[in-house]
Amino acid sequence: MSDTTAATQVHVEEDGHKVFVGNLSFQTTEAELFELFSKPTPVLRANIITHGTRSRGYGFVAYETLAQAQQAAVTYNKTELGGREINVEVAKPKVERAPAAPKAKTPKQPKSEAKEATEAGDAGDVKPRTGRNRSRASRKTIRNKNEGEEGTAEEPASPTGEAKDGARRKRSNRRSGRKVNGDAAATEGGAAAAPAAPSAPRQVGPPSKTTVFVANLPFAMEDAGLKELFAQFKVASAHVVRRRGSGRSKGFGFVELVDEAEQQNVLEKMKDAQADGRELVIKVALSEEQSGDRDGEIKAEASA
């Protein structure tokens, strides 16, 4: 048996073959998960993933063989645990990625060789430069061309102290973000750039007189289930808000009542309402026209 095969078998024996269990109630314990999945096949271990001390609503159960894990996925998928319908499927094994190869560094050219390559030859061989280096190269080229011919060409006069000072101020202003018009340098101690105007506050509509906002809903709840929660009241419509594309619930929705009196009745009698072990948050909704909505309908959001 090769070393690779032996290492793989040891890993399977230690880690087991797992099934993923989702949509767990936050009150479900690892002992309850272990007890359910150990019938009739023995379970190596069961654990619930948490954030601190709070359950994240899913976990894993490990079996000795892959066949046992597959049978558990078929047996327990869509069964009830803790008052919720759980989702069970065989967990995918972790894939270990090889470390990325380090990037090869390009060797730097020695400064002396770069200088000789740039300044070698006559004026036609000199590569164009920018800024201070260009003027320095131009002066050196003139000296090389006119060596032994004194007076035939003049080196460019060095900038005066005043010009140097103006150039320094212009560079300083560019670095600090100040704008200088044309060639005029900004005066020392000039006015700073005006701060950007603050963005306008978001406009929301008045409180709705018929609609309530309902938060902390179970993610598996549909529109019909939301309406069923308010069956004792006169409900005009109920809507669970979902993500675009995936269609997954965002965990909140809106219930429209027939009139304002029924809305106030809901707020009074549903203060401590729960759904699948979750404590619901129910508030008066705010009406707001969404300009980007294609249907131009009036949507609602929770009041502060």
Side-chain angles (χ1 to χ4, degrees), residues 68-237:
Q68 291 173 344
Q70 292 172 339
Q71 182 59 40
V74 174
T75 303
Y76 298 108
N77 187 38
K78 301 301 180 182
T79 59
E80 184 176 324
L81 176 61
R84 303 189 71 171
E85 184 181 273
I86 59 176
N87 302 321
V88 184
E89 59 184 54
V90 177
K92 297 180 180 179
K94 294 182 178 180
V95 178
E96 297 184 359
R97 299 182 179 179
K103 296 182 179 179
K105 294 183 179 181
T106 304
K108 294 183 179 180
Q109 187 178 10
K111 291 183 178 180
S112 58
E113 295 181 8
K115 186 175 180 181
E116 291 176 2
T118 305
E119 298 179 350
D122 55 14
D125 296 329
V126 178
K127 295 182 179 179
R129 298 189 181 186
T130 59
R132 189 182 304 173
N133 291 334
R134 180 171 57 188
S135 60
R136 187 180 301 167
S138 300
R139 292 197 297 272
K140 193 172 187 71
T141 301
I142 293 174
R143 286 199 297 271
N144 291 338
K145 289 184 64 177
N146 300 301
E147 185 177 358
E149 300 178 10
E150 185 176 354
T152 57
E154 285 185 74
E155 282 190 29
S158 61
T160 62
E162 183 178 353
K164 286 183 177 180
D165 188 48
R168 281 196 296 270
R169 283 200 298 270
K170 288 173 69 175
R171 288 196 297 272
S172 176
N173 286 329
R174 284 197 297 269
R175 284 195 295 270
S176 63
R178 295 179 183 175
K179 185 176 180 181
V180 180
N181 296 326
D183 295 331
T187 57
E188 186 175 354
S199 58
R202 183 183 179 189
Q203 299 296 327
V204 297
S208 173
K209 293 184 179 181
T210 57
T211 305
V212 293
F213 168 82
V214 186
N216 202 29
L217 292 172
F219 291 106
M221 179 166 289
E222 304 288 343
D223 293 353
L226 178 58
K227 189 173 183 179
E228 182 66 23
L229 287 177
F230 296 82
Q232 58 180 312
F233 305 99
K234 298 177 182 179
V235 177
S237 64

